[in-house]
Amino acid sequence: MAEPGMGRRWRTATPVWAVVALVTVSLSVPAVGASVTTGEADPVVQTDLGPVRGVATGRTELYQGIPYAQPPTGPRRWRPPVRPRPWTAVRDASKPGPACAQLDETGGVAAHSSEDCLYLNVTGPSRNRSERRPVVVYLHGGAFSSGSGSDFDARRMAATGDVVVVTVNSRLGVFGFFGHPGMAGSGTYALADQRAALRWVRANARAFGGDPGNVTLMGESSGGASVCAQLVSPPAAGLFHRAIIQSGSCLQSWPKNVMGPGLDAISYWAPRTAVQARGAAAAAGLGCAGPDGPACLRRTDTRELLALNGQFVTPAFGTRALPTDPVKALRTGAFHRVPVMQGNTRDEHRLFGSLFEAEEPIDDARYRALLATSFGERMARRVYVRYPPRAYSGQSGSPAALAWAAVGTDVGWVCPTLAADRLMARHVPVFSFEFAEPNVPDFLGIFPEGYPPGAFHGSELPLLFDIEGTSVPLDPAQRNLSESMIMYWAAFAAQGDPNRAGLPRWPGFPATQSLDSARGGISQTDLAAGHHCRFWASRT
């Protein structure tokens, strides 16, 4: 998801890749975590490394900034995560650790971000810590290059769903996905961090009232893609028992010029050889060529390396973590046999389409030109017939702009996710959803005037979390939907099936549950028909 003010920044200091692939709430200055007040009665928990003092927040307990690995700095930069050193004195866990190193608006190191960032946060119900509740481990989005686990305040989810929630930082951008022929683990350091966090959860869940044998790995956008990566990663076997993927399917990809004006086609994944070739070229540009390249790069200033972020935002396959392309792994059934809940927002691409509209209003002529650039003249004519602007004329905003956003939603997001559902459902239980609530406030502040956001990319997140640095006023119907969603998510975490008493029935795939407070509430929908997926499957 984009950050506030992104529309103003898109043609200035921020690289285009960071504008158009954005997937979480990354504020102009990274958040410093949930606002809490400490007191003498605050709880202390003994972890396997040492005691931590959290904060009692009424119905929940919150522990922030717990290290799960040593700082990946100096000689540990671009190496696998290393277990932290134990401590004996009670460690303050009332504030989060820094976000992982990322860019600010000027192209420098964002405030409150650092390479020393491998921390996690635990939120659980305050009553009876001896119980064994389901554990939800959440991986934030941010185009693999921005955001922080502490941006997502999980107290509402923990209290309403009666689950323990762990939000995680893992290395980002050039520090998480850099590749070089002389570095083991090239292009997958962030994935190694996530596995280290899951091992921490396995060792410590009981201390916080969680069940280490019932862990759900959950993520949104690039965080969802990270969940996909762990689903197909052999070293992640046994570290989690269910998976929730929001707007981050293994198969999502976008044709050229769809995610942003002038951009090439985009995929989540890249071959190790390509990542290493980019890394070797980048090293030479920094004066770090030759046998001493890795050591030289580990001495290079953080700011200089962050300038390379745009080149290193794709996990590498052909590696120990990802032996094969995750797309191929899904197609061949080479993934962990755990239940999966997966879905999208109904109007994913309204967010990215708004960047085109902000640059230059989309009228019929520009719409036709955009289609031709992305699909070629012949296919563009077919797409125009299938998505004519007049079909969107009953809504506010430019019909051509909304048609362009619908094309991006269907070809890049929803239809690939539906294809992934089919592949996984051959082997495991799959529960499909579409978040269709059209009236979540524009808490990002980036949509052009007159352009309806709809159920835009990331718009489901305020119904699951309180998001640091934003104010998202939900009306009574949306608050009810929020509670239902949290109960569905928690039921899935508990039993691998979202159904529970008091909620509308959620059938397994091929059914899709539509989540919408404004248009009939929770019901089933036909994704393939609603998003023209048969049309996209037949394109040549």
Side-chain angles (χ1 to χ4, degrees), residues 7-8 25 36 89 122 361:
R8 297 188 300 274
V25 175
V36 294
V122 182

Side-chain angles (χ1 to χ4, degrees), residues 383-408:
V383 176
Y384 186 91
V385 171
R386 181 66 59 160
Y387 295 82
R390 67 175 181 275
Y392 305 88
S393 59
Q395 307 177 46
S396 62
S398 161
L402 298 183
W404 174 243
V407 168

Side-chain angles (χ1 to χ4, degrees), residues 78-81 171 175-178 183-193:
W78 297 311
R79 296 190 191 279
R171 281 173 279 186
F175 300 107
F177 301 99
F178 185 75
M183 294 180 183
S186 279
T188 62
Y189 303 107
L191 302 183
D193 294 343

